[in-house]
Amino acid sequence: MSDYGHDLLFGSFTTPGTDDPDRTVGLAILAEQAGLDLVTFQDHPYQPRFLDTWTLLSFVAARTSRVHVSANVTNLPLRPPAVLARSIASLDLLTGGRVALGLGAGAFWDAIEAMGGRRLTPGEGVRALEEAIEVIRQMWDAEARGGVRVDGEFHRVVGAKRGPAPAHAVPIWLGAYKPRMLQLTGRRADGWLPSLGYLQPGDLAKGNAIIDEAAREAGRSPRDVRRLLNISGTFSTVGRGPLDGPAEQWVRELTELALGDGVGTFVLASDDPDALRRFAGEVAPAVRELVAAERDRGGALARTPAEPVAATQPAAVVAPPARPARARVTAGAFAVVPTPDDGRRLSDRQVWDESARPTGPAPDPTRTYTAHEQANGQHLVQVHDGLRGELAQIHDLIEQVAAGEIDACAARSHINTMTMRQNRWTLGAYCESYCRIVTTHHTIEDQALFPRLRQADPRLRPVIDRLEQEHHVIHDVLEGVDQALVAYVGAPDGLAALRAAVNLLTDTLLSHLSYEERELVEPLARLGVS
C-alpha cells in the first residue's frame, strides 16, 4: 500500500485530430469550465492526422485561463531539448505558470526516422532522455554562471546562454514502463506518467518500488515524484468491468488507486464531452472527499505540504485551483469553527422556514478532543469551502457573460451563431458541472454519513432528518437554475431570471451549509464518524 500524500488532480487526454480542430480546442475549454486541473494531448509529429502538439498547446493555453497544459508525452527524438526548454519556459511565462513537461524516450522509430530523427535502441533512448533532462534543467537555471554545457553521447550543448527561467518550477513527468526508465524517473523526474491500459496487475506497485528505491539512492524522497495515470473507461448504468460502470464504481476504483498505489493525478483519455463532465463533476469531487476522509482517519499519509519553490528548481506537482484554506487544529478543547451565516440574502424568495430548524445536543464544555477527532469536523468545513468557492465562480461567470467578456469561440466556432449564444453555452456547461458536484456531495452524506450519525447518537435524528429534507429542496432549486439556463439560451432578456435563480441557490445553499456545520462539526469529532 502506497499513498504519497499528493493533492489529487484530474485532467483530460484529448485526441489532437485535424478533422475538426475547433472541437479539439472546445474539449479543452470544456475541461477547464467543468473544473478539471489539467489538459493534455499526445505528441506524434510524424502523424499527419494529428495537429502539431506544441502549436495546439499554445493555442489552448491562450484560450484558457486556469487549467494547466502538457504534452502526454513530448516526442523527444523530434524535439531538440535546448529549443524545447526555451519553448516550455516561454509558454509558462505567457500563461503565468500553467505548463508541465511530459517527456518520452521515443517509440514508432520507423516514423521518427522518416521525419529525420535518429533511430535509438531502448538503452540509448534512456541515456538520451537523461541527457535531455540535464540540458533542459540547465537552460532553465538562468541565474547560474556560465553557459549551458552538456557534452553527451546524444545531446551536445557547448556554452548556450541560459534562460529564460519559467514562471514556476515546471514539473518534468516521464512516460515510463521498463526498469531503466523507472530508475531514471526516481533519480531525475518530478512525475511518473504511465497509461493504465499498458500495465498488468501489480505493475503500479512494482514501478513505485523501483522509483522509490532510485529516488532514495539519489538522495531524494519518494514523495518528490508525483504518480500520474492515464485512464480510460465507460460510464454506464451497470458495472461490466474496471472503469466500466456507474460513477460510483469509478469513484471506488480511483480511490483505491489513490490510496493503494499512490496515484495523485488521474488523466481521462476521452473525446466525449459528457464523459468529461461526469468525470469532473461526479467522480473527481467524490474521490477527493473519500481520500481526504481516509487520510484524516490516519489511514494514509497527510497531504503534501504546499511550500514555495524557486522557479529554477523542479516541482513535484501542478498547483490545483485556489480554494479557501483553514488552519489545522490540534489536541485540546474543540477548536473547529463552523462557518457562520451572515444573514445576507440575495433573493426575495424563501424555500424553507429557518426558524423551524431543530438543534442537536449541546457539547460538553469539559471534554477534550484529539487532533484526529477534530479533523473529521474540519474536513466537513473544507468540503463546504470548496462548494462556496465554486458558487462564487458561478456568479463571476454570469457577470462575465453579461459583460460579453467570456470568449468561447473555440468551443462552438463550427456553429455559425452569435457570440453571446456561445457564451451562454459556456456558462451552462459550468453550472451543469457545479450542480453535479453538489448532488454528489449530498448523495455521499445521505447514503453514508447521516445513517452512521443517526445510529451513533439518536439525539441527532431530528437534525439529520431536517438536513435530508433540505437536500431535496436544494435539488429543486438546482433544477430551477437549469431551467433558467435553458430559457436564457433561447431568450435575449433571460439574464435577469438566471440571476434570480442563482441568487436563490446562493441563499439556500449557504444557509444550509452553515446550519450543517453548526450542528455536525462537534458530533463528527465526538462520535468518531467521518
Side-chain angles (χ1 to χ4, degrees), residues 226-245:
R226 172 170 282 269
R227 317 303 158 110
L228 305 94
L229 188 63
N230 293 320
I231 60 173
S232 60
T234 303
F235 287 100
S236 55
T237 56
V238 179
R240 294 188 290 256
L243 295 181
D244 187 352

mmCIF file of all heavy atoms in Angstrom, residues 226-245:
data_model
loop_
_atom_site.group_PDB
_atom_site.id
_atom_site.type_symbol
_atom_site.label_atom_id
_atom_site.label_comp_id
_atom_site.label_asym_id
_atom_site.label_seq_id
_atom_site.Cartn_x
_atom_site.Cartn_y
_atom_site.Cartn_z
ATOM 1 N N ARG A 226 5.624 12.719 -8.240
ATOM 2 C CA ARG A 226 4.166 12.571 -8.351
ATOM 3 C C ARG A 226 3.846 11.366 -9.220
ATOM 4 O O ARG A 226 4.505 11.127 -10.236
ATOM 5 C CB ARG A 226 3.543 13.839 -8.949
ATOM 6 C CG ARG A 226 2.048 13.711 -9.283
ATOM 7 C CD ARG A 226 1.451 15.045 -9.637
ATOM 8 N NE ARG A 226 1.187 15.826 -8.439
ATOM 9 C CZ ARG A 226 0.022 15.794 -7.779
ATOM 10 N NH1 ARG A 226 -0.962 15.007 -8.196
ATOM 11 N NH2 ARG A 226 -0.156 16.536 -6.710
ATOM 12 N N ARG A 227 2.806 10.618 -8.853
ATOM 13 C CA ARG A 227 2.373 9.466 -9.634
ATOM 14 C C ARG A 227 1.111 9.856 -10.395
ATOM 15 O O ARG A 227 0.065 10.131 -9.793
ATOM 16 C CB ARG A 227 2.123 8.250 -8.732
ATOM 17 C CG ARG A 227 3.202 8.036 -7.650
ATOM 18 C CD ARG A 227 4.609 7.895 -8.217
ATOM 19 N NE ARG A 227 5.637 8.209 -7.221
ATOM 20 C CZ ARG A 227 6.443 7.322 -6.668
ATOM 21 N NH1 ARG A 227 6.364 6.059 -7.003
ATOM 22 N NH2 ARG A 227 7.356 7.712 -5.781
ATOM 23 N N LEU A 228 1.219 9.903 -11.724
ATOM 24 C CA LEU A 228 0.099 10.237 -12.598
ATOM 25 C C LEU A 228 -0.331 8.970 -13.329
ATOM 26 O O LEU A 228 0.441 8.019 -13.463
ATOM 27 C CB LEU A 228 0.487 11.313 -13.608
ATOM 28 C CG LEU A 228 1.062 12.619 -13.058
ATOM 29 C CD1 LEU A 228 2.590 12.565 -13.027
ATOM 30 C CD2 LEU A 228 0.622 13.827 -13.887
ATOM 31 N N LEU A 229 -1.558 8.963 -13.832
ATOM 32 C CA LEU A 229 -2.046 7.775 -14.531
ATOM 33 C C LEU A 229 -3.059 8.171 -15.597
ATOM 34 O O LEU A 229 -4.073 8.820 -15.296
ATOM 35 C CB LEU A 229 -2.698 6.815 -13.532
ATOM 36 C CG LEU A 229 -3.097 5.437 -14.067
ATOM 37 C CD1 LEU A 229 -1.873 4.652 -14.521
ATOM 38 C CD2 LEU A 229 -3.869 4.649 -13.007
ATOM 39 N N ASN A 230 -2.777 7.795 -16.845
ATOM 40 C CA ASN A 230 -3.769 7.923 -17.909
ATOM 41 C C ASN A 230 -4.766 6.779 -17.789
ATOM 42 O O ASN A 230 -4.363 5.610 -17.681
ATOM 43 C CB ASN A 230 -3.096 7.869 -19.279
ATOM 44 C CG ASN A 230 -2.205 9.062 -19.547
ATOM 45 O OD1 ASN A 230 -2.536 10.188 -19.200
ATOM 46 N ND2 ASN A 230 -1.052 8.819 -20.164
ATOM 47 N N ILE A 231 -6.028 7.104 -17.800
ATOM 48 C CA ILE A 231 -7.065 6.086 -17.668
ATOM 49 C C ILE A 231 -8.074 6.258 -18.796
ATOM 50 O O ILE A 231 -8.172 7.318 -19.414
ATOM 51 C CB ILE A 231 -7.793 6.172 -16.305
ATOM 52 C CG1 ILE A 231 -8.469 7.547 -16.159
ATOM 53 C CG2 ILE A 231 -6.822 5.914 -15.159
ATOM 54 C CD1 ILE A 231 -9.356 7.672 -14.931
ATOM 55 N N SER A 232 -8.838 5.213 -19.049
ATOM 56 C CA SER A 232 -9.954 5.282 -19.990
ATOM 57 C C SER A 232 -11.045 4.362 -19.479
ATOM 58 O O SER A 232 -10.784 3.434 -18.703
ATOM 59 C CB SER A 232 -9.518 4.865 -21.404
ATOM 60 O OG SER A 232 -9.021 3.538 -21.398
ATOM 61 N N GLY A 233 -12.258 4.641 -19.887
ATOM 62 C CA GLY A 233 -13.363 3.817 -19.414
ATOM 63 C C GLY A 233 -14.679 4.279 -19.996
ATOM 64 O O GLY A 233 -14.732 5.151 -20.865
ATOM 65 N N THR A 234 -15.765 3.692 -19.480
ATOM 66 C CA THR A 234 -17.110 3.977 -19.983
ATOM 67 C C THR A 234 -18.050 4.176 -18.802
ATOM 68 O O THR A 234 -18.029 3.378 -17.846
ATOM 69 C CB THR A 234 -17.620 2.814 -20.852
ATOM 70 O OG1 THR A 234 -16.701 2.590 -21.935
ATOM 71 C CG2 THR A 234 -19.005 3.122 -21.399
ATOM 72 N N PHE A 235 -18.841 5.222 -18.853
ATOM 73 C CA PHE A 235 -19.895 5.419 -17.863
ATOM 74 C C PHE A 235 -21.144 4.672 -18.332
ATOM 75 O O PHE A 235 -21.634 4.884 -19.443
ATOM 76 C CB PHE A 235 -20.214 6.900 -17.691
ATOM 77 C CG PHE A 235 -19.157 7.667 -16.954
ATOM 78 C CD1 PHE A 235 -18.229 8.427 -17.643
ATOM 79 C CD2 PHE A 235 -19.089 7.617 -15.569
ATOM 80 C CE1 PHE A 235 -17.255 9.148 -16.972
ATOM 81 C CE2 PHE A 235 -18.112 8.323 -14.880
ATOM 82 C CZ PHE A 235 -17.190 9.087 -15.582
ATOM 83 N N SER A 236 -21.635 3.775 -17.494
ATOM 84 C CA SER A 236 -22.833 3.008 -17.822
ATOM 85 C C SER A 236 -23.617 2.758 -16.542
ATOM 86 O O SER A 236 -23.120 2.990 -15.433
ATOM 87 C CB SER A 236 -22.456 1.673 -18.488
ATOM 88 O OG SER A 236 -21.565 0.934 -17.674
ATOM 89 N N THR A 237 -24.822 2.288 -16.685
ATOM 90 C CA THR A 237 -25.694 2.098 -15.513
ATOM 91 C C THR A 237 -25.347 0.844 -14.730
ATOM 92 O O THR A 237 -25.614 0.767 -13.534
ATOM 93 C CB THR A 237 -27.159 2.035 -15.956
ATOM 94 O OG1 THR A 237 -27.319 0.984 -16.929
ATOM 95 C CG2 THR A 237 -27.584 3.363 -16.575
ATOM 96 N N VAL A 238 -24.741 -0.134 -15.375
ATOM 97 C CA VAL A 238 -24.421 -1.409 -14.730
ATOM 98 C C VAL A 238 -22.928 -1.687 -14.902
ATOM 99 O O VAL A 238 -22.380 -1.505 -15.996
ATOM 100 C CB VAL A 238 -25.238 -2.569 -15.339
ATOM 101 C CG1 VAL A 238 -24.863 -3.887 -14.669
ATOM 102 C CG2 VAL A 238 -26.731 -2.300 -15.190
ATOM 103 N N GLY A 239 -22.285 -2.112 -13.833
ATOM 104 C CA GLY A 239 -20.867 -2.407 -13.901
ATOM 105 C C GLY A 239 -20.586 -3.621 -14.771
ATOM 106 O O GLY A 239 -21.181 -4.681 -14.586
ATOM 107 N N ARG A 240 -19.646 -3.445 -15.718
ATOM 108 C CA ARG A 240 -19.291 -4.553 -16.602
ATOM 109 C C ARG A 240 -17.802 -4.857 -16.577
ATOM 110 O O ARG A 240 -17.347 -5.734 -17.294
ATOM 111 C CB ARG A 240 -19.715 -4.220 -18.033
ATOM 112 C CG ARG A 240 -21.221 -4.125 -18.242
ATOM 113 C CD ARG A 240 -21.560 -3.994 -19.721
ATOM 114 N NE ARG A 240 -21.162 -2.690 -20.228
ATOM 115 C CZ ARG A 240 -22.023 -1.699 -20.473
ATOM 116 N NH1 ARG A 240 -23.310 -1.876 -20.255
ATOM 117 N NH2 ARG A 240 -21.597 -0.533 -20.935
ATOM 118 N N GLY A 241 -17.048 -4.119 -15.786
ATOM 119 C CA GLY A 241 -15.612 -4.341 -15.716
ATOM 120 C C GLY A 241 -14.940 -3.116 -15.137
ATOM 121 O O GLY A 241 -15.596 -2.134 -14.773
ATOM 122 N N PRO A 242 -13.612 -3.128 -15.029
ATOM 123 C CA PRO A 242 -12.893 -1.980 -14.465
ATOM 124 C C PRO A 242 -13.186 -0.699 -15.243
ATOM 125 O O PRO A 242 -13.112 -0.669 -16.474
ATOM 126 C CB PRO A 242 -11.419 -2.391 -14.602
ATOM 127 C CG PRO A 242 -11.443 -3.899 -14.634
ATOM 128 C CD PRO A 242 -12.701 -4.253 -15.358
ATOM 129 N N LEU A 243 -13.541 0.360 -14.496
ATOM 130 C CA LEU A 243 -13.881 1.659 -15.081
ATOM 131 C C LEU A 243 -14.889 1.517 -16.213
ATOM 132 O O LEU A 243 -14.849 2.236 -17.208
ATOM 133 C CB LEU A 243 -12.623 2.384 -15.571
ATOM 134 C CG LEU A 243 -11.626 2.797 -14.483
ATOM 135 C CD1 LEU A 243 -10.432 3.520 -15.094
ATOM 136 C CD2 LEU A 243 -12.284 3.669 -13.423
ATOM 137 N N ASP A 244 -15.809 0.616 -16.055
ATOM 138 C CA ASP A 244 -16.914 0.422 -16.987
ATOM 139 C C ASP A 244 -18.163 0.193 -16.153
ATOM 140 O O ASP A 244 -18.506 -0.934 -15.813
ATOM 141 C CB ASP A 244 -16.647 -0.767 -17.911
ATOM 142 C CG ASP A 244 -17.717 -0.895 -19.013
ATOM 143 O OD1 ASP A 244 -18.717 -0.162 -18.943
ATOM 144 O OD2 ASP A 244 -17.529 -1.728 -19.917
ATOM 145 N N GLY A 245 -18.813 1.307 -15.784
ATOM 146 C CA GLY A 245 -19.966 1.211 -14.915
ATOM 147 C C GLY A 245 -20.408 2.583 -14.455
ATOM 148 O O GLY A 245 -19.993 3.607 -15.011
#
